[in-house]
């Protein structure tokens, strides 16, 4: 157990040998949801450059309970034996995490968040789950729209040399005869229509949504207005907020970017979920 600055952190084993760390404030404000941070790819629960650990402490200092835990097979959590595959298993593990938090603190509403594939999981797990009061997606889903392509490739079309090099790369394959790996090889994006439908379902039940895109997502996102190009009128809902930080890296490796995230995330949580 760690106690520092009015925050208590305790490690827990729960579910089918899942491991997590619970950060809690000295006094839990009534009516405020807890935050659950989901693994960023294969990175363990502290997050890249310990961004999750620092974020959890920043949120706890503002009165929010935070659980950061390892899904099965990641970090300190053992592989699930004989479990249902993929999304079903993640749903079971998220349910176990929520049950742990409720049992220890009494908090029974949640905000799910994560970076990259953690954002993908948060978006999927929130759909249809009445306990989820909000999501914060860090470099979550987006799609290469016409606007994206014009912004990314348009300037290069004025340079004949760049055009020829680009054409050459289209025909270039690696030693195995396959194209280079792309974002879609690692992440399972829903169709654009399904993503829009999910956003609309969240807004319809008054769940709050914060979308944060960084410059590190340049392979599929490169301007704030691209969110509306992707999700249309779903972005007009008062429950949905957007941030675009083009000068920030996907992994928040700079201290100033981690501090910026801590500040913005905490301010959004206080504004969306004031203490009752």
């Amino acid at each position: 157990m760690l106690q520092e600055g009015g925050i208590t952190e305790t490690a827990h084993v729960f579910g089918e040998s899942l491991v997590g760390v619970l950060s809690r404030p000295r006094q839990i404000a009534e009516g405020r949801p807890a935050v659950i941070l989901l693994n960023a790819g294969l990175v363990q629960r502290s997050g890249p450059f310990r961004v999750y650990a620092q974020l959890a402490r920043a949120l706890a200092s503002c009165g929010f309970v935070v659980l950061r835990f390892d899904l099965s097979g990641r970090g300190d959590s053992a592989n699930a034996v004989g479990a249902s595959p993929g999304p079903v298993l993640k749903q079971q593990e998220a349910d176990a995490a929520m049950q742990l938090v409720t049992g220890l603190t009494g908090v029974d509403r949640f905000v799910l968040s994560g970076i990259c594939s953690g954002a993908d999981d948060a978006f999927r797990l929130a759909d249809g789950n009445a306990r989820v009061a909000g999501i914060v997606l860090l470099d979550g889903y987006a799609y290469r729209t016409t606007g994206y392509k014009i912004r990314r490739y348009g300037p290069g079309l004025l340079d004949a040399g760049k055009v020829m090099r680009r054409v050459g790369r289209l025909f270039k394959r690696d030693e195995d005869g396959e194209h280079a790996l792309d974002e879609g090889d690692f992440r399972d994006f829903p169709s654009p229509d399904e993503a829009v439908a999910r956003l609309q379902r969240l807004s319809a039940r008054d769940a709050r949504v914060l979308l944060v895109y960084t410059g590190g997502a340049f392979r599929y996102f490169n301007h704030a207005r691209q969110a509306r190009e992707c999700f249309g009128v779903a972005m007009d809902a008062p429950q949905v907020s957007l941030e675009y930080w083009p000068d920030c890296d996907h992994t928040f490796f700079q201290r100033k970017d981690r501090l910026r995230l801590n500040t913005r995330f905490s301010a959004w949580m206080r504004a969306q979920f004031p203490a009752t």
Side-chain angles (χ1 to χ4, degrees), residues 14-60:
F14 62 97
E16 296 295 327
S17 68
L18 299 173
V19 177
V21 172
L22 186 73
S23 302
R24 68 177 103 186
R26 180 175 300 158
Q27 183 173 359
I28 300 171
E30 187 175 350
R32 284 182 162 174
V35 177
I36 294 181
L37 299 174
L38 302 166
N39 292 98
L42 299 178
V43 182
Q44 55 102 14
R45 65 186 177 274
S46 63
F49 300 97
R50 295 190 59 76
V51 63
Y52 282 3
Q54 295 169 30
L55 176 60
R57 290 163 188 167
L59 288 167

Short mmCIF file of all heavy atoms in Angstrom, two decimals, residues 14-60:
data_model
loop_
_atom_site.label_atom_id
_atom_site.label_comp_id
_atom_site.label_asym_id
_atom_site.label_seq_id
_atom_site.Cartn_x
_atom_site.Cartn_y
_atom_site.Cartn_z
N PHE A 14 -7.85 -9.97 -8.75
CA PHE A 14 -9.30 -10.17 -8.82
C PHE A 14 -9.64 -10.92 -10.10
O PHE A 14 -8.78 -11.15 -10.96
CB PHE A 14 -10.03 -8.82 -8.77
CG PHE A 14 -9.70 -7.89 -9.91
CD1 PHE A 14 -10.52 -7.80 -11.02
CD2 PHE A 14 -8.55 -7.11 -9.87
CE1 PHE A 14 -10.22 -6.95 -12.07
CE2 PHE A 14 -8.24 -6.25 -10.93
CZ PHE A 14 -9.07 -6.18 -12.03
N GLY A 15 -10.91 -11.29 -10.23
CA GLY A 15 -11.34 -12.03 -11.41
C GLY A 15 -10.52 -13.31 -11.54
O GLY A 15 -10.19 -13.97 -10.56
N GLU A 16 -10.19 -13.66 -12.76
CA GLU A 16 -9.35 -14.83 -13.02
C GLU A 16 -7.89 -14.40 -13.03
O GLU A 16 -7.27 -14.30 -14.07
CB GLU A 16 -9.74 -15.48 -14.35
CG GLU A 16 -11.15 -16.04 -14.38
CD GLU A 16 -11.32 -17.19 -13.41
OE1 GLU A 16 -10.35 -17.95 -13.19
OE2 GLU A 16 -12.43 -17.34 -12.86
N SER A 17 -7.35 -14.06 -11.85
CA SER A 17 -5.94 -13.67 -11.66
C SER A 17 -5.56 -12.41 -12.42
O SER A 17 -4.47 -12.30 -12.96
CB SER A 17 -4.98 -14.82 -12.02
OG SER A 17 -4.99 -15.10 -13.41
N LEU A 18 -6.48 -11.44 -12.45
CA LEU A 18 -6.16 -10.12 -12.99
C LEU A 18 -5.49 -9.30 -11.89
O LEU A 18 -5.78 -9.46 -10.70
CB LEU A 18 -7.43 -9.41 -13.45
CG LEU A 18 -8.23 -10.09 -14.56
CD1 LEU A 18 -9.55 -9.36 -14.79
CD2 LEU A 18 -7.43 -10.18 -15.84
N VAL A 19 -4.59 -8.41 -12.30
CA VAL A 19 -3.85 -7.59 -11.35
C VAL A 19 -4.09 -6.12 -11.66
O VAL A 19 -4.01 -5.69 -12.83
CB VAL A 19 -2.34 -7.88 -11.40
CG1 VAL A 19 -1.57 -6.97 -10.44
CG2 VAL A 19 -2.08 -9.35 -11.06
N GLY A 20 -4.39 -5.34 -10.62
CA GLY A 20 -4.64 -3.92 -10.82
C GLY A 20 -4.21 -3.11 -9.61
O GLY A 20 -3.95 -3.64 -8.53
N VAL A 21 -4.13 -1.79 -9.82
CA VAL A 21 -3.80 -0.85 -8.74
C VAL A 21 -4.94 0.15 -8.63
O VAL A 21 -5.33 0.78 -9.63
CB VAL A 21 -2.47 -0.13 -9.01
CG1 VAL A 21 -2.24 0.97 -7.98
CG2 VAL A 21 -1.31 -1.11 -9.00
N LEU A 22 -5.47 0.29 -7.43
CA LEU A 22 -6.56 1.21 -7.16
C LEU A 22 -6.01 2.45 -6.49
O LEU A 22 -5.36 2.38 -5.45
CB LEU A 22 -7.61 0.55 -6.26
CG LEU A 22 -8.89 1.35 -6.01
CD1 LEU A 22 -9.76 1.36 -7.26
CD2 LEU A 22 -9.65 0.77 -4.82
N SER A 23 -6.28 3.61 -7.09
CA SER A 23 -5.90 4.90 -6.49
C SER A 23 -7.17 5.55 -5.98
O SER A 23 -8.15 5.69 -6.73
CB SER A 23 -5.24 5.80 -7.54
OG SER A 23 -4.10 5.18 -8.10
N ARG A 24 -7.17 5.94 -4.73
CA ARG A 24 -8.38 6.55 -4.18
C ARG A 24 -8.02 7.76 -3.34
O ARG A 24 -6.98 7.81 -2.68
CB ARG A 24 -9.18 5.54 -3.36
CG ARG A 24 -8.55 5.07 -2.10
CD ARG A 24 -9.49 4.13 -1.36
NE ARG A 24 -9.08 2.75 -1.52
CZ ARG A 24 -9.79 1.72 -1.08
NH1 ARG A 24 -10.93 1.92 -0.48
NH2 ARG A 24 -9.36 0.50 -1.25
N PRO A 25 -8.90 8.75 -3.35
CA PRO A 25 -8.66 9.96 -2.55
C PRO A 25 -9.00 9.71 -1.09
O PRO A 25 -9.63 8.70 -0.75
CB PRO A 25 -9.61 10.98 -3.17
CG PRO A 25 -10.74 10.14 -3.68
CD PRO A 25 -10.12 8.84 -4.15
N ARG A 26 -8.58 10.62 -0.26
CA ARG A 26 -8.90 10.50 1.16
C ARG A 26 -10.41 10.49 1.37
O ARG A 26 -10.93 9.74 2.19
CB ARG A 26 -8.27 11.67 1.93
CG ARG A 26 -8.53 11.65 3.44
CD ARG A 26 -7.77 12.77 4.10
NE ARG A 26 -6.34 12.64 3.89
CZ ARG A 26 -5.46 13.64 3.97
NH1 ARG A 26 -5.88 14.87 4.24
NH2 ARG A 26 -4.17 13.44 3.78
N GLN A 27 -11.11 11.32 0.60
CA GLN A 27 -12.57 11.36 0.68
C GLN A 27 -13.13 11.24 -0.72
O GLN A 27 -12.79 12.03 -1.60
CB GLN A 27 -13.05 12.65 1.34
CG GLN A 27 -14.56 12.71 1.52
CD GLN A 27 -14.98 13.92 2.34
OE1 GLN A 27 -14.16 14.70 2.78
NE2 GLN A 27 -16.28 14.07 2.55
N ILE A 28 -13.99 10.26 -0.93
CA ILE A 28 -14.61 10.05 -2.24
C ILE A 28 -15.87 10.90 -2.33
O ILE A 28 -16.78 10.78 -1.51
CB ILE A 28 -14.97 8.56 -2.44
CG1 ILE A 28 -13.71 7.70 -2.34
CG2 ILE A 28 -15.66 8.35 -3.78
CD1 ILE A 28 -13.98 6.22 -2.31
N ALA A 29 -15.89 11.78 -3.31
CA ALA A 29 -17.04 12.67 -3.48
C ALA A 29 -18.24 11.88 -3.98
O ALA A 29 -18.15 11.11 -4.94
CB ALA A 29 -16.70 13.78 -4.46
N GLU A 30 -19.37 12.08 -3.33
CA GLU A 30 -20.59 11.34 -3.70
C GLU A 30 -21.06 11.74 -5.08
O GLU A 30 -21.03 12.92 -5.46
CB GLU A 30 -21.68 11.62 -2.67
CG GLU A 30 -22.93 10.77 -2.87
CD GLU A 30 -23.95 10.98 -1.77
OE1 GLU A 30 -23.61 11.64 -0.77
OE2 GLU A 30 -25.08 10.47 -1.93
N GLY A 31 -21.49 10.76 -5.85
CA GLY A 31 -22.04 11.02 -7.17
C GLY A 31 -21.04 11.01 -8.30
O GLY A 31 -21.42 11.09 -9.47
N ARG A 32 -19.77 10.94 -7.99
CA ARG A 32 -18.75 10.95 -9.03
C ARG A 32 -18.39 9.53 -9.46
O ARG A 32 -18.21 8.65 -8.61
CB ARG A 32 -17.50 11.69 -8.56
CG ARG A 32 -17.67 13.19 -8.55
CD ARG A 32 -16.41 13.90 -8.13
NE ARG A 32 -16.43 15.30 -8.53
CZ ARG A 32 -15.50 16.19 -8.18
NH1 ARG A 32 -14.49 15.82 -7.41
NH2 ARG A 32 -15.58 17.43 -8.60
N PRO A 33 -18.25 9.28 -10.76
CA PRO A 33 -17.88 7.94 -11.22
C PRO A 33 -16.41 7.66 -10.98
O PRO A 33 -15.60 8.58 -10.80
CB PRO A 33 -18.19 7.99 -12.72
CG PRO A 33 -17.99 9.43 -13.09
CD PRO A 33 -18.46 10.21 -11.89
N ALA A 34 -16.06 6.40 -10.99
CA ALA A 34 -14.66 5.98 -10.96
C ALA A 34 -14.15 5.89 -12.39
O ALA A 34 -14.92 5.74 -13.34
CB ALA A 34 -14.52 4.63 -10.27
N VAL A 35 -12.85 5.98 -12.54
CA VAL A 35 -12.20 5.86 -13.85
C VAL A 35 -11.49 4.52 -13.94
O VAL A 35 -10.79 4.13 -13.00
CB VAL A 35 -11.20 7.00 -14.09
CG1 VAL A 35 -10.48 6.83 -15.43
CG2 VAL A 35 -11.90 8.35 -14.03
N ILE A 36 -11.67 3.83 -15.04
CA ILE A 36 -10.95 2.58 -15.30
C ILE A 36 -10.09 2.79 -16.54
O ILE A 36 -10.59 3.16 -17.60
CB ILE A 36 -11.90 1.40 -15.49
CG1 ILE A 36 -12.63 1.11 -14.18
CG2 ILE A 36 -11.15 0.16 -15.97
CD1 ILE A 36 -13.59 -0.05 -14.24
N LEU A 37 -8.77 2.57 -16.38
CA LEU A 37 -7.82 2.75 -17.47
C LEU A 37 -7.46 1.38 -18.05
O LEU A 37 -7.02 0.49 -17.32
CB LEU A 37 -6.56 3.46 -16.95
CG LEU A 37 -6.78 4.86 -16.38
CD1 LEU A 37 -5.49 5.41 -15.77
CD2 LEU A 37 -7.31 5.81 -17.45
N LEU A 38 -7.64 1.25 -19.35
CA LEU A 38 -7.43 -0.02 -20.06
C LEU A 38 -6.09 -0.01 -20.79
O LEU A 38 -5.68 1.02 -21.35
CB LEU A 38 -8.57 -0.25 -21.05
CG LEU A 38 -9.97 -0.27 -20.41
CD1 LEU A 38 -11.04 -0.16 -21.48
CD2 LEU A 38 -10.16 -1.55 -19.60
N ASN A 39 -5.43 -1.15 -20.82
CA ASN A 39 -4.09 -1.27 -21.41
C ASN A 39 -3.97 -0.59 -22.76
O ASN A 39 -4.83 -0.75 -23.64
CB ASN A 39 -3.71 -2.74 -21.60
CG ASN A 39 -3.50 -3.48 -20.31
OD1 ASN A 39 -4.40 -4.16 -19.85
ND2 ASN A 39 -2.32 -3.35 -19.71
N ALA A 40 -2.88 0.13 -22.93
CA ALA A 40 -2.52 0.69 -24.24
C ALA A 40 -1.72 -0.36 -24.98
O ALA A 40 -0.53 -0.56 -24.71
CB ALA A 40 -1.70 1.97 -24.07
N GLY A 41 -2.37 -1.08 -25.89
CA GLY A 41 -1.69 -2.16 -26.60
C GLY A 41 -1.23 -3.22 -25.62
O GLY A 41 -1.99 -3.67 -24.76
N LEU A 42 0.05 -3.61 -25.73
CA LEU A 42 0.61 -4.62 -24.85
C LEU A 42 1.33 -4.02 -23.65
O LEU A 42 1.94 -4.75 -22.86
CB LEU A 42 1.58 -5.51 -25.64
CG LEU A 42 0.97 -6.29 -26.81
CD1 LEU A 42 2.04 -7.10 -27.53
CD2 LEU A 42 -0.15 -7.21 -26.32
N VAL A 43 1.28 -2.69 -23.51
CA VAL A 43 1.96 -2.03 -22.40
C VAL A 43 1.22 -2.30 -21.10
O VAL A 43 -0.01 -2.25 -21.05
CB VAL A 43 2.05 -0.52 -22.65
CG1 VAL A 43 2.80 0.18 -21.51
CG2 VAL A 43 2.74 -0.24 -23.98
N GLN A 44 1.96 -2.59 -20.04
CA GLN A 44 1.31 -2.94 -18.77
C GLN A 44 0.65 -1.71 -18.14
O GLN A 44 0.73 -0.61 -18.65
CB GLN A 44 2.33 -3.59 -17.83
CG GLN A 44 3.58 -2.78 -17.57
CD GLN A 44 3.53 -2.08 -16.23
OE1 GLN A 44 2.70 -2.39 -15.38
NE2 GLN A 44 4.43 -1.14 -16.02
N ARG A 45 0.02 -1.92 -17.01
CA ARG A 45 -0.97 -0.98 -16.47
C ARG A 45 -0.43 0.40 -16.11
O ARG A 45 -1.21 1.34 -15.91
CB ARG A 45 -1.64 -1.59 -15.23
CG ARG A 45 -0.68 -1.82 -14.08
CD ARG A 45 -1.33 -2.55 -12.93
NE ARG A 45 -0.35 -2.83 -11.87
CZ ARG A 45 0.44 -3.89 -11.86
NH1 ARG A 45 0.36 -4.78 -12.84
NH2 ARG A 45 1.31 -4.07 -10.89
N SER A 46 0.87 0.59 -16.00
CA SER A 46 1.39 1.93 -15.72
C SER A 46 1.33 2.82 -16.95
O SER A 46 1.42 4.04 -16.85
CB SER A 46 2.82 1.87 -15.20
OG SER A 46 3.69 1.33 -16.18
N GLY A 47 1.14 2.20 -18.13
CA GLY A 47 1.04 2.95 -19.37
C GLY A 47 2.39 3.35 -19.92
O GLY A 47 3.41 3.29 -19.22
N PRO A 48 2.44 3.76 -21.19
CA PRO A 48 3.71 4.21 -21.77
C PRO A 48 4.25 5.41 -21.01
O PRO A 48 3.51 6.36 -20.72
CB PRO A 48 3.34 4.57 -23.22
CG PRO A 48 1.86 4.77 -23.21
CD PRO A 48 1.32 3.87 -22.15
N PHE A 49 5.53 5.34 -20.64
CA PHE A 49 6.17 6.42 -19.87
C PHE A 49 5.42 6.72 -18.59
O PHE A 49 5.39 7.86 -18.12
CB PHE A 49 6.32 7.68 -20.75
CG PHE A 49 7.16 7.45 -21.97
CD1 PHE A 49 6.54 7.18 -23.19
CD2 PHE A 49 8.54 7.45 -21.90
CE1 PHE A 49 7.30 6.93 -24.33
CE2 PHE A 49 9.31 7.21 -23.04
CZ PHE A 49 8.70 6.95 -24.25
N ARG A 50 4.77 5.70 -18.04
CA ARG A 50 4.02 5.77 -16.77
C ARG A 50 2.89 6.80 -16.81
O ARG A 50 2.47 7.34 -15.80
CB ARG A 50 4.97 6.05 -15.59
CG ARG A 50 5.97 4.92 -15.35
CD ARG A 50 6.73 5.10 -14.05
NE ARG A 50 5.86 5.15 -12.89
CZ ARG A 50 5.28 4.09 -12.33
NH1 ARG A 50 5.46 2.89 -12.83
NH2 ARG A 50 4.51 4.24 -11.26
N VAL A 51 2.36 7.05 -18.00
CA VAL A 51 1.31 8.05 -18.14
C VAL A 51 0.06 7.67 -17.36
O VAL A 51 -0.60 8.54 -16.77
CB VAL A 51 0.99 8.31 -19.64
CG1 VAL A 51 0.46 7.07 -20.32
CG2 VAL A 51 0.01 9.46 -19.79
N TYR A 52 -0.30 6.38 -17.31
CA TYR A 52 -1.49 5.97 -16.56
C TYR A 52 -1.28 6.15 -15.05
O TYR A 52 -2.21 6.57 -14.35
CB TYR A 52 -1.82 4.51 -16.84
CG TYR A 52 -2.51 4.22 -18.15
CD1 TYR A 52 -2.78 5.21 -19.08
CD2 TYR A 52 -2.91 2.92 -18.46
CE1 TYR A 52 -3.42 4.92 -20.28
CE2 TYR A 52 -3.55 2.62 -19.66
CZ TYR A 52 -3.80 3.62 -20.57
OH TYR A 52 -4.44 3.32 -21.75
N ALA A 53 -0.10 5.80 -14.57
CA ALA A 53 0.16 5.94 -13.14
C ALA A 53 0.05 7.41 -12.72
O ALA A 53 -0.56 7.74 -11.70
CB ALA A 53 1.55 5.39 -12.81
N GLN A 54 0.62 8.29 -13.52
CA GLN A 54 0.57 9.72 -13.20
C GLN A 54 -0.85 10.27 -13.34
O GLN A 54 -1.29 11.08 -12.53
CB GLN A 54 1.55 10.47 -14.10
CG GLN A 54 3.00 10.09 -13.84
CD GLN A 54 3.95 10.62 -14.89
OE1 GLN A 54 3.71 11.67 -15.49
NE2 GLN A 54 5.05 9.92 -15.13
N LEU A 55 -1.56 9.82 -14.37
CA LEU A 55 -2.94 10.26 -14.57
C LEU A 55 -3.82 9.80 -13.43
O LEU A 55 -4.67 10.57 -12.93
CB LEU A 55 -3.46 9.73 -15.91
CG LEU A 55 -4.92 10.02 -16.25
CD1 LEU A 55 -5.18 11.52 -16.31
CD2 LEU A 55 -5.28 9.36 -17.59
N ALA A 56 -3.65 8.55 -12.99
CA ALA A 56 -4.47 8.03 -11.88
C ALA A 56 -4.28 8.87 -10.63
O ALA A 56 -5.26 9.19 -9.93
CB ALA A 56 -4.10 6.57 -11.62
N ARG A 57 -3.07 9.27 -10.35
CA ARG A 57 -2.80 10.06 -9.14
C ARG A 57 -3.35 11.47 -9.28
O ARG A 57 -3.87 12.04 -8.31
CB ARG A 57 -1.30 10.07 -8.86
CG ARG A 57 -0.81 8.70 -8.40
CD ARG A 57 0.68 8.52 -8.49
NE ARG A 57 1.03 7.12 -8.21
CZ ARG A 57 2.23 6.60 -8.45
NH1 ARG A 57 3.19 7.35 -8.99
NH2 ARG A 57 2.46 5.33 -8.17
N ALA A 58 -3.27 12.03 -10.49
CA ALA A 58 -3.83 13.36 -10.71
C ALA A 58 -5.35 13.35 -10.52
O ALA A 58 -5.92 14.25 -9.88
CB ALA A 58 -3.48 13.85 -12.11
N LEU A 59 -6.01 12.34 -11.05
CA LEU A 59 -7.46 12.23 -10.90
C LEU A 59 -7.86 11.96 -9.45
O LEU A 59 -8.84 12.52 -8.95
CB LEU A 59 -7.99 11.12 -11.81
CG LEU A 59 -7.98 11.43 -13.31
CD1 LEU A 59 -8.22 10.15 -14.12
CD2 LEU A 59 -9.03 12.47 -13.66
N ALA A 60 -7.10 11.10 -8.77
CA ALA A 60 -7.40 10.81 -7.37
C ALA A 60 -7.25 12.06 -6.51
O ALA A 60 -8.02 12.27 -5.57
CB ALA A 60 -6.50 9.69 -6.86
#
